[in-house]
Amino acid sequence: MLQRTRQRRILGAVLIFSGVLLMWLTPEIWTGVIVILIAIALEILGIALEHRS
């Protein structure tokens, strides 16, 4: 997807930050479950981009 290490790391950091922010802002109702799942997916994508060689 992204060949440059710097761009990949920046995108990974943005995805991780977005995931953390979504987890922090999640309401305590059932729609919050959907938001928390999206946040977890963003976290996984961000971590995968950070660890890609």
Side-chain angles (χ1 to χ4, degrees):
M1 184 175 144
L2 296 173
Q3 299 299 329
R4 295 189 178 142
T5 304
R6 184 176 181 178
Q7 289 177 342
R8 196 171 56 238
R9 287 194 177 171
I10 290 171
L11 180 60
V14 168
L15 287 173
I16 290 171
F17 178 75
S18 299
V20 168
L21 187 63
L22 280 174
M23 285 184 201
W24 186 61
L25 294 174
T26 300
E28 294 183 14
I29 54 176
W30 280 104
T31 56
V33 173
I34 295 169
V35 175
I36 202 86
L37 290 175
I38 292 170
I40 291 170
L42 287 175
E43 289 280 329
I44 291 170
L45 284 172
I47 291 170
L49 284 174
E50 286 286 330
H51 289 287
R52 187 173 172 192
S53 300

